[in-house]
Amino acid sequence: MSENQKELRRAAAQAFMESLDQLEQRLSITKPVQPVSPSPKAPQAKIDRDIVQDLEEAVADIEQHIHISPLHQNEAS
């Protein structure tokens, strides 16, 4: 490897490390500290139940569509 290539690699590595340092500083400045709430699970549990209910309804709709679709195809023939 030539001296020029070594110098370019060194400069690139130094610039990369400086960029990482700047990123770390920005993240540590802008990252707010969130207080711990006494019961963070209660709202999440309701959201989870709502999601499960929505998914169950979607599955039921899909199953109904699958069972009905072949009937409509036979009628169209």
Side-chain angles (χ1 to χ4, degrees), residues 3-31:
E3 287 300 318
N4 189 28
Q5 287 177 326
K6 288 180 183 178
E7 181 60 29
L8 287 174
R9 285 183 178 230
R10 188 196 62 74
Q14 183 178 357
F16 179 72
M17 293 305 293
E18 289 172 2
S19 294
L20 285 179
D21 289 340
Q22 290 174 1
L23 178 61
E24 183 180 19
Q25 289 173 359
R26 287 184 184 166
L27 291 176
S28 66
I29 290 172
T30 59
K31 184 178 178 183

Side-chain angles (χ1 to χ4, degrees), residues 35-46:
V36 177
S37 61
S39 60
K41 297 290 180 188
Q44 185 64 35
K46 180 175 180 355

